[in-house]
Amino acid sequence: MSANRRERTGFWRGNSLSLVFGAAFLVVLAAQAVAGRAEFNEQLAVEGLQQVGFGDYLMSSDFAVDVTENWQSEFLQFFLYIFGTVHLLQRGSPESKPLHKAGTESEREQKLGDHAQSDSPRWASTKDWRQALYSRSLGLAMAVFFLFSWFAQSVSGVSAYNDVRLRQLQEPVSWVSYLASSDFWNRSLQNWQSELLAVAAMAILSVYLRQRGSPESKPVGSPHSATGVEG
């Protein structure tokens, strides 16, 4: 086997998790676009209006709001989970830290400052704002993605909402008015509650159930009381 072939094999195997889920995301997004256009055209047909092409639907506010309302709830889930698990614990769950490690942990445990290693990220060895920022960069990134996608949902949502109102010969509403509307909050809250339920279910079910070989599960033979142990 040539060196190039080994490098290609190593790349695909070493990044298979993100590559497979990234590809699956694109496939499902395309399928959503097809199904969404069909549903949208059915609504237009009922109202006696001209149907839209696939390209026009992809550029529509109807498609944008359906996509972004799901994105923002997913990023909210990870933001809350990343920050919440710093201090919140679940006895017996691999999704929780060991019970004696609640909190931000010591610099030695986190390999910060003087305890940074030669291969540690550069900002981990600093002792100023860079270390403070990098120490929270994952949660902050999720918070930024959440806020950005929630804002995008509100902008595309008010456009889609006003399109419906105009077809019904009603006055459009402003973006600020839409933020206080039941449509905006129904779209947001119906996704938030499902994400919170999924996190809670994962945290408690992983105490008693197992998935052999998965890092999201404890080793199959671990006792139910084992906390912060991954397979």
Short mmCIF file of all heavy atoms in Angstrom, two decimals, residues 57-100:
data_model
loop_
_atom_site.label_atom_id
_atom_site.label_comp_id
_atom_site.label_asym_id
_atom_site.label_seq_id
_atom_site.Cartn_x
_atom_site.Cartn_y
_atom_site.Cartn_z
N TYR A 57 -38.10 28.10 -4.15
CA TYR A 57 -38.43 27.67 -2.79
C TYR A 57 -37.20 27.71 -1.89
O TYR A 57 -37.30 28.09 -0.72
CB TYR A 57 -39.03 26.26 -2.81
CG TYR A 57 -39.34 25.76 -1.42
CD1 TYR A 57 -40.39 26.30 -0.69
CD2 TYR A 57 -38.55 24.78 -0.81
CE1 TYR A 57 -40.66 25.86 0.61
CE2 TYR A 57 -38.81 24.34 0.47
CZ TYR A 57 -39.87 24.89 1.18
OH TYR A 57 -40.11 24.47 2.46
N LEU A 58 -36.04 27.32 -2.44
CA LEU A 58 -34.81 27.34 -1.64
C LEU A 58 -34.47 28.76 -1.18
O LEU A 58 -33.83 28.94 -0.13
CB LEU A 58 -33.64 26.77 -2.43
CG LEU A 58 -33.67 25.26 -2.71
CD1 LEU A 58 -32.41 24.85 -3.47
CD2 LEU A 58 -33.77 24.46 -1.42
N MET A 59 -34.88 29.76 -1.94
CA MET A 59 -34.60 31.15 -1.59
C MET A 59 -35.74 31.79 -0.81
O MET A 59 -35.67 32.97 -0.47
CB MET A 59 -34.35 31.97 -2.87
CG MET A 59 -33.18 31.49 -3.70
SD MET A 59 -31.60 31.55 -2.79
CE MET A 59 -31.45 33.32 -2.54
N SER A 60 -36.75 31.02 -0.51
CA SER A 60 -37.94 31.56 0.15
C SER A 60 -37.77 31.65 1.66
O SER A 60 -36.99 30.91 2.27
CB SER A 60 -39.17 30.71 -0.18
OG SER A 60 -39.10 29.46 0.49
N SER A 61 -38.53 32.53 2.28
CA SER A 61 -38.53 32.65 3.74
C SER A 61 -39.16 31.43 4.39
O SER A 61 -38.81 31.08 5.51
CB SER A 61 -39.27 33.92 4.15
OG SER A 61 -40.60 33.91 3.64
N ASP A 62 -40.07 30.78 3.69
CA ASP A 62 -40.71 29.58 4.24
C ASP A 62 -39.68 28.49 4.50
O ASP A 62 -39.68 27.86 5.57
CB ASP A 62 -41.79 29.07 3.28
CG ASP A 62 -42.64 27.97 3.88
OD1 ASP A 62 -43.61 28.29 4.57
OD2 ASP A 62 -42.30 26.78 3.66
N PHE A 63 -38.80 28.25 3.55
CA PHE A 63 -37.75 27.25 3.74
C PHE A 63 -36.75 27.69 4.79
O PHE A 63 -36.32 26.92 5.65
CB PHE A 63 -37.03 27.00 2.41
CG PHE A 63 -35.89 26.03 2.50
CD1 PHE A 63 -36.10 24.70 2.82
CD2 PHE A 63 -34.58 26.45 2.27
CE1 PHE A 63 -35.05 23.80 2.91
CE2 PHE A 63 -33.52 25.56 2.35
CZ PHE A 63 -33.75 24.23 2.67
N ALA A 64 -36.38 28.97 4.76
CA ALA A 64 -35.38 29.48 5.71
C ALA A 64 -35.84 29.37 7.15
O ALA A 64 -35.08 28.97 8.03
CB ALA A 64 -35.05 30.94 5.37
N VAL A 65 -37.09 29.69 7.41
CA VAL A 65 -37.56 29.65 8.79
C VAL A 65 -37.68 28.21 9.29
O VAL A 65 -37.42 27.91 10.46
CB VAL A 65 -38.90 30.41 8.94
CG1 VAL A 65 -40.06 29.67 8.26
CG2 VAL A 65 -39.22 30.64 10.41
N ASP A 66 -38.06 27.29 8.41
CA ASP A 66 -38.15 25.89 8.82
C ASP A 66 -36.78 25.33 9.19
O ASP A 66 -36.66 24.53 10.12
CB ASP A 66 -38.76 25.04 7.69
CG ASP A 66 -40.25 25.25 7.55
OD1 ASP A 66 -40.86 25.81 8.47
OD2 ASP A 66 -40.81 24.86 6.50
N VAL A 67 -35.75 25.76 8.47
CA VAL A 67 -34.39 25.28 8.75
C VAL A 67 -33.83 25.92 10.01
O VAL A 67 -33.35 25.23 10.91
CB VAL A 67 -33.47 25.56 7.54
CG1 VAL A 67 -32.02 25.28 7.91
CG2 VAL A 67 -33.87 24.71 6.35
N THR A 68 -33.91 27.24 10.10
CA THR A 68 -33.26 27.94 11.21
C THR A 68 -33.94 27.70 12.54
O THR A 68 -33.28 27.75 13.58
CB THR A 68 -33.20 29.45 10.93
OG1 THR A 68 -34.53 29.94 10.64
CG2 THR A 68 -32.30 29.75 9.75
N GLU A 69 -35.24 27.43 12.56
CA GLU A 69 -35.89 27.19 13.84
C GLU A 69 -35.41 25.89 14.47
O GLU A 69 -35.40 25.75 15.70
CB GLU A 69 -37.41 27.19 13.70
CG GLU A 69 -38.00 25.96 13.03
CD GLU A 69 -39.52 26.00 13.02
OE1 GLU A 69 -40.10 26.92 12.40
OE2 GLU A 69 -40.13 25.11 13.62
N ASN A 70 -34.98 24.94 13.66
CA ASN A 70 -34.40 23.71 14.19
C ASN A 70 -32.94 23.90 14.57
O ASN A 70 -32.48 23.36 15.58
CB ASN A 70 -34.53 22.58 13.17
CG ASN A 70 -35.95 22.07 13.04
OD1 ASN A 70 -36.45 21.35 13.89
ND2 ASN A 70 -36.63 22.47 11.98
N TRP A 71 -32.21 24.66 13.79
CA TRP A 71 -30.79 24.91 14.12
C TRP A 71 -30.65 25.59 15.47
O TRP A 71 -29.83 25.19 16.29
CB TRP A 71 -30.16 25.77 13.03
CG TRP A 71 -29.92 25.06 11.74
CD1 TRP A 71 -30.27 23.77 11.43
CD2 TRP A 71 -29.29 25.59 10.56
NE1 TRP A 71 -29.90 23.47 10.14
CE2 TRP A 71 -29.29 24.56 9.58
CE3 TRP A 71 -28.73 26.82 10.25
CZ2 TRP A 71 -28.77 24.75 8.31
CZ3 TRP A 71 -28.19 27.01 8.99
CH2 TRP A 71 -28.21 25.99 8.02
N GLN A 72 -31.45 26.62 15.71
CA GLN A 72 -31.27 27.37 16.95
C GLN A 72 -31.56 26.52 18.17
O GLN A 72 -30.90 26.65 19.20
CB GLN A 72 -32.12 28.66 16.94
CG GLN A 72 -33.61 28.47 16.69
CD GLN A 72 -34.42 28.29 17.96
OE1 GLN A 72 -33.87 28.32 19.05
NE2 GLN A 72 -35.71 28.07 17.82
N SER A 73 -32.51 25.60 18.07
CA SER A 73 -32.81 24.76 19.23
C SER A 73 -31.70 23.76 19.51
O SER A 73 -31.40 23.44 20.65
CB SER A 73 -34.14 24.02 19.02
OG SER A 73 -34.07 23.12 17.93
N GLU A 74 -31.05 23.28 18.43
CA GLU A 74 -29.94 22.34 18.61
C GLU A 74 -28.75 23.04 19.27
O GLU A 74 -28.12 22.49 20.18
CB GLU A 74 -29.52 21.75 17.26
CG GLU A 74 -30.58 20.91 16.59
CD GLU A 74 -30.92 19.65 17.36
OE1 GLU A 74 -30.09 19.20 18.19
OE2 GLU A 74 -32.01 19.11 17.14
N PHE A 75 -28.42 24.23 18.79
CA PHE A 75 -27.30 24.96 19.40
C PHE A 75 -27.63 25.38 20.82
O PHE A 75 -26.73 25.43 21.68
CB PHE A 75 -26.93 26.17 18.55
CG PHE A 75 -26.23 25.81 17.27
CD1 PHE A 75 -26.74 26.19 16.03
CD2 PHE A 75 -25.06 25.06 17.29
CE1 PHE A 75 -26.09 25.86 14.85
CE2 PHE A 75 -24.40 24.72 16.11
CZ PHE A 75 -24.92 25.12 14.90
N LEU A 76 -28.89 25.70 21.11
CA LEU A 76 -29.28 26.00 22.48
C LEU A 76 -29.07 24.79 23.37
O LEU A 76 -28.57 24.91 24.50
CB LEU A 76 -30.76 26.43 22.53
CG LEU A 76 -31.31 26.67 23.93
CD1 LEU A 76 -30.62 27.84 24.61
CD2 LEU A 76 -32.83 26.90 23.88
N GLN A 77 -29.42 23.61 22.87
CA GLN A 77 -29.24 22.39 23.65
C GLN A 77 -27.78 22.20 24.04
O GLN A 77 -27.46 21.96 25.20
CB GLN A 77 -29.70 21.18 22.84
CG GLN A 77 -29.49 19.85 23.51
CD GLN A 77 -29.55 18.68 22.55
OE1 GLN A 77 -28.53 18.22 22.06
NE2 GLN A 77 -30.76 18.21 22.26
N PHE A 78 -26.88 22.32 23.07
CA PHE A 78 -25.47 22.11 23.37
C PHE A 78 -24.91 23.21 24.25
O PHE A 78 -24.07 22.95 25.12
CB PHE A 78 -24.67 21.99 22.07
CG PHE A 78 -24.81 20.65 21.41
CD1 PHE A 78 -25.53 20.51 20.24
CD2 PHE A 78 -24.25 19.52 21.99
CE1 PHE A 78 -25.67 19.27 19.64
CE2 PHE A 78 -24.39 18.28 21.40
CZ PHE A 78 -25.09 18.14 20.22
N PHE A 79 -25.35 24.45 24.04
CA PHE A 79 -24.90 25.55 24.90
C PHE A 79 -25.27 25.29 26.36
O PHE A 79 -24.43 25.37 27.25
CB PHE A 79 -25.51 26.86 24.42
CG PHE A 79 -25.46 27.97 25.43
CD1 PHE A 79 -24.25 28.52 25.83
CD2 PHE A 79 -26.63 28.46 26.00
CE1 PHE A 79 -24.20 29.53 26.78
CE2 PHE A 79 -26.60 29.47 26.94
CZ PHE A 79 -25.38 30.01 27.34
N LEU A 80 -26.53 24.95 26.60
CA LEU A 80 -26.98 24.69 27.97
C LEU A 80 -26.30 23.46 28.55
O LEU A 80 -25.93 23.43 29.73
CB LEU A 80 -28.50 24.51 27.99
CG LEU A 80 -29.34 25.74 27.65
CD1 LEU A 80 -30.82 25.37 27.63
CD2 LEU A 80 -29.08 26.86 28.65
N TYR A 81 -26.11 22.45 27.72
CA TYR A 81 -25.50 21.21 28.20
C TYR A 81 -24.03 21.42 28.56
O TYR A 81 -23.56 20.96 29.60
CB TYR A 81 -25.63 20.13 27.13
CG TYR A 81 -25.23 18.75 27.61
CD1 TYR A 81 -26.05 18.05 28.48
CD2 TYR A 81 -24.03 18.18 27.22
CE1 TYR A 81 -25.69 16.80 28.93
CE2 TYR A 81 -23.66 16.94 27.66
CZ TYR A 81 -24.49 16.24 28.53
OH TYR A 81 -24.13 15.01 28.99
N ILE A 82 -23.30 22.13 27.71
CA ILE A 82 -21.87 22.36 27.95
C ILE A 82 -21.66 23.17 29.22
O ILE A 82 -20.83 22.82 30.07
CB ILE A 82 -21.23 23.06 26.74
CG1 ILE A 82 -21.16 22.10 25.55
CG2 ILE A 82 -19.83 23.58 27.08
CD1 ILE A 82 -20.84 22.77 24.24
N PHE A 83 -22.41 24.25 29.39
CA PHE A 83 -22.25 25.06 30.59
C PHE A 83 -22.90 24.41 31.81
O PHE A 83 -22.37 24.50 32.92
CB PHE A 83 -22.85 26.46 30.36
CG PHE A 83 -21.89 27.42 29.73
CD1 PHE A 83 -21.97 27.72 28.38
CD2 PHE A 83 -20.89 28.02 30.47
CE1 PHE A 83 -21.09 28.60 27.78
CE2 PHE A 83 -19.99 28.91 29.89
CZ PHE A 83 -20.09 29.21 28.54
N GLY A 84 -24.03 23.74 31.61
CA GLY A 84 -24.72 23.13 32.74
C GLY A 84 -23.94 22.02 33.40
O GLY A 84 -23.95 21.87 34.63
N THR A 85 -23.24 21.22 32.59
CA THR A 85 -22.53 20.06 33.15
C THR A 85 -21.23 20.46 33.86
O THR A 85 -20.55 19.60 34.41
CB THR A 85 -22.19 19.06 32.03
OG1 THR A 85 -21.58 19.73 30.93
CG2 THR A 85 -23.46 18.35 31.56
N VAL A 86 -20.90 21.76 33.88
CA VAL A 86 -19.77 22.20 34.70
C VAL A 86 -20.11 22.02 36.18
O VAL A 86 -19.28 21.57 36.97
CB VAL A 86 -19.44 23.68 34.41
CG1 VAL A 86 -18.37 24.18 35.38
CG2 VAL A 86 -18.98 23.84 32.96
N HIS A 87 -21.35 22.33 36.54
CA HIS A 87 -21.75 22.29 37.95
C HIS A 87 -22.84 21.26 38.25
O HIS A 87 -22.96 20.81 39.39
CB HIS A 87 -22.24 23.68 38.39
CG HIS A 87 -21.18 24.75 38.30
ND1 HIS A 87 -20.19 24.90 39.24
CD2 HIS A 87 -20.97 25.71 37.37
CE1 HIS A 87 -19.41 25.90 38.91
NE2 HIS A 87 -19.86 26.42 37.77
N LEU A 88 -23.66 20.94 37.27
CA LEU A 88 -24.78 20.02 37.50
C LEU A 88 -24.32 18.58 37.30
O LEU A 88 -23.56 18.28 36.39
CB LEU A 88 -25.93 20.34 36.56
CG LEU A 88 -26.47 21.78 36.64
CD1 LEU A 88 -27.59 21.98 35.64
CD2 LEU A 88 -26.94 22.11 38.06
N LEU A 89 -24.82 17.69 38.14
CA LEU A 89 -24.37 16.30 38.15
C LEU A 89 -25.56 15.33 38.06
O LEU A 89 -26.69 15.70 38.40
CB LEU A 89 -23.59 16.01 39.44
CG LEU A 89 -22.41 16.92 39.74
CD1 LEU A 89 -21.92 16.70 41.17
CD2 LEU A 89 -21.28 16.69 38.75
N GLN A 90 -25.30 14.13 37.57
CA GLN A 90 -26.28 13.06 37.58
C GLN A 90 -25.58 11.79 38.01
O GLN A 90 -24.77 11.23 37.28
CB GLN A 90 -26.92 12.87 36.20
CG GLN A 90 -27.87 11.68 36.11
CD GLN A 90 -29.01 11.78 37.11
OE1 GLN A 90 -29.76 12.75 37.09
NE2 GLN A 90 -29.16 10.78 37.98
N ARG A 91 -25.88 11.35 39.22
CA ARG A 91 -25.24 10.16 39.75
C ARG A 91 -25.47 8.96 38.83
O ARG A 91 -26.59 8.66 38.44
CB ARG A 91 -25.78 9.84 41.15
CG ARG A 91 -25.08 8.66 41.84
CD ARG A 91 -25.75 8.33 43.16
NE ARG A 91 -25.76 9.47 44.06
CZ ARG A 91 -24.75 9.78 44.88
NH1 ARG A 91 -23.66 9.02 44.90
NH2 ARG A 91 -24.83 10.84 45.68
N GLY A 92 -24.40 8.29 38.46
CA GLY A 92 -24.50 7.08 37.65
C GLY A 92 -24.48 7.31 36.15
O GLY A 92 -24.50 6.35 35.38
N SER A 93 -24.44 8.57 35.69
CA SER A 93 -24.51 8.84 34.25
C SER A 93 -23.13 9.14 33.68
O SER A 93 -22.36 9.92 34.26
CB SER A 93 -25.43 10.02 33.98
OG SER A 93 -25.43 10.34 32.60
N PRO A 94 -22.80 8.58 32.50
CA PRO A 94 -21.55 8.96 31.84
C PRO A 94 -21.62 10.36 31.26
O PRO A 94 -20.61 10.93 30.85
CB PRO A 94 -21.42 7.91 30.72
CG PRO A 94 -22.82 7.50 30.42
CD PRO A 94 -23.53 7.54 31.74
N GLU A 95 -22.83 10.93 31.20
CA GLU A 95 -23.00 12.30 30.72
C GLU A 95 -22.64 13.32 31.79
O GLU A 95 -22.61 14.53 31.52
CB GLU A 95 -24.44 12.52 30.26
CG GLU A 95 -24.90 11.61 29.14
CD GLU A 95 -24.09 11.82 27.87
OE1 GLU A 95 -23.89 12.99 27.48
OE2 GLU A 95 -23.63 10.83 27.28
N SER A 96 -22.39 12.86 33.00
CA SER A 96 -22.05 13.72 34.13
C SER A 96 -20.59 13.52 34.50
O SER A 96 -20.01 12.46 34.30
CB SER A 96 -22.94 13.39 35.32
OG SER A 96 -22.45 13.97 36.52
N LYS A 97 -19.98 14.56 35.07
CA LYS A 97 -18.65 14.41 35.64
C LYS A 97 -18.77 13.59 36.93
O LYS A 97 -19.85 13.50 37.52
CB LYS A 97 -18.04 15.77 35.96
CG LYS A 97 -17.79 16.62 34.75
CD LYS A 97 -16.89 17.81 35.08
CE LYS A 97 -17.55 18.75 36.06
NZ LYS A 97 -16.72 19.95 36.28
N PRO A 98 -17.67 12.99 37.40
CA PRO A 98 -17.68 12.37 38.72
C PRO A 98 -18.16 13.36 39.78
O PRO A 98 -17.92 14.57 39.67
CB PRO A 98 -16.22 11.97 38.95
CG PRO A 98 -15.68 11.77 37.57
CD PRO A 98 -16.37 12.82 36.72
N LEU A 99 -18.84 12.88 40.79
CA LEU A 99 -19.51 13.75 41.75
C LEU A 99 -18.55 14.67 42.49
O LEU A 99 -18.94 15.76 42.93
CB LEU A 99 -20.29 12.90 42.75
CG LEU A 99 -21.36 11.97 42.14
CD1 LEU A 99 -22.08 11.21 43.24
CD2 LEU A 99 -22.35 12.76 41.29
N HIS A 100 -17.30 14.28 42.63
CA HIS A 100 -16.34 15.10 43.38
C HIS A 100 -15.65 16.14 42.50
O HIS A 100 -14.81 16.90 42.99
CB HIS A 100 -15.28 14.21 44.03
CG HIS A 100 -14.39 13.50 43.05
ND1 HIS A 100 -14.80 12.36 42.37
CD2 HIS A 100 -13.13 13.78 42.60
CE1 HIS A 100 -13.82 11.97 41.57
NE2 HIS A 100 -12.80 12.81 41.70
#
